[in-house]
Amino acid sequence: MARPREFDEDTVLEAAMQCFWSSGYEATSTRDLAERMKMTPASMYNAFGDKRALFLRALDHYLNQSLRERLARLESHFPPDAAITRCFSESIERSLADREHRGCLLVNSAFGAAQDPDVRTVVAGEIAQIETFFLRCLDAGQTAGLIATTISPGEGAKLLLAGLLGIRVLARVRPDRDLLEGAAAAAAEIDDAAPGLVGDGEWRRPQDGAGGERGD
């Protein structure tokens, strides 16, 4: 009979995620992980495999609680133009709320661990999901007359994706609100082709405390 696990999986994955997020994949040692997760190295390996396998699990845990949750919530609760705007504004608020300026674990992984083919596949797939979110929002917004049709949804989604990823990098190295909101406003205009994207053409911060505690 298999022995039941003596730890809560979500709790230890959260700890591993925080460790990788703070130090980066390469700089995080198995000793760091075991200490943060409050597990012996042997127990950690038995439960999750090697460092690479644990990182992939920790990244999946991060995405489930941040990016995936946020895109699903925005698309289901807001009109398409507002969903796009809030995607940017929430990213800014969460970035500025992170005192360590860790940035986005997904974006960080594109630099720090993407030499691993499995990590690269995960990162590329999740970034494609962000682009698809923007594509759906632009297509629905143009159909509803909420977003200008002077740029195709496909091209607009690529521009918005580039703008969002750029903001996530800027937030890590220069977390200045005016800079980030200026970049977001420029992205929301989609190269001056869709002035109706943000309603009245002015950048607006979320007013209901949507910033949250996470950094993505």
Side-chain angles (χ1 to χ4, degrees):
M1 181 176 179
R3 182 179 179 181
R5 290 185 173 181
E6 298 177 350
F7 61 87
D8 179 77
E9 186 169 286
D10 285 340
T11 299
V12 296
L13 283 175
E14 177 75 17
M17 179 200 78
Q18 294 292 342
C19 195
F20 283 122
W21 197 3
S22 295
S23 302
Y25 178 80
E26 293 295 339
T28 298
S29 68
T30 53
R31 180 177 179 179
D32 295 332
L33 289 164
E35 289 180 354
R36 184 73 73 92
M37 297 166 72
K38 296 181 171 55
M39 300 177 70
T40 66
S43 296
M44 185 180 71
Y45 282 122
N46 288 336
F48 299 104
D50 59 13
K51 174 183 167 181
R52 171 177 160 278
L54 177 56
F55 176 77
L56 289 170
R57 290 288 302 277
L59 179 59
D60 188 65
H61 175 80
Y62 169 86
L63 292 167
N64 282 335
Q65 298 189 51
S66 57
L67 181 64
R68 292 168 183 163
E69 180 279 329
R70 178 150 47 97
L71 295 185
R73 170 174 50 81
L74 292 175
E75 194 167 5
S76 62
H77 286 78
F78 295 94
D81 55 341
I84 294 173
T85 302
R86 292 184 70 95
C87 182
F88 280 87
S89 61
E90 288 189 15
S91 290
I92 291 172
E93 294 303 319
R94 295 180 186 201
S95 296
L96 294 175
D98 181 9
R99 296 180 180 179
E100 296 181 48
H101 308 308
R102 295 172 295 178
C104 170
L105 183 57
L106 177 67
V107 176
N108 296 350
S109 300
F111 298 102
Q115 69 274 15
D116 184 292
D118 288 335
V119 175
R120 188 165 58 247
T121 296
V122 171
V123 171
E126 293 299 326
I127 288 176
Q129 289 302 311
I130 303 172
E131 182 181 353
T132 301
F133 161 78
F134 286 136
L135 178 65
R136 289 195 301 266
C137 289
L138 287 170
D139 187 52
Q142 289 183 351
T143 299
L146 297 171
I147 297 174
T149 58
T150 47
I151 189 169
S152 71
E155 290 302 312
K158 290 179 175 62
L159 290 169
L160 289 170
L161 173 66
L164 184 65
L165 296 182
I167 285 170
R168 299 304 291 142
V169 174
L170 282 174
R172 188 171 187 187
V173 299
R174 188 179 163 191
D176 177 79
R177 180 179 290 280
D178 288 341
L179 174 66
L180 300 183
E181 291 187 348
E189 292 295 334
I190 310 185
D191 202 25
D192 295 325
L197 183 58
V198 292
D200 56 11
E202 296 182 359
W203 183 255
R204 294 186 300 278
R205 302 173 193 170
Q207 300 298 316
D208 58 357
E213 297 180 354
R214 288 192 174 276
D216 181 45

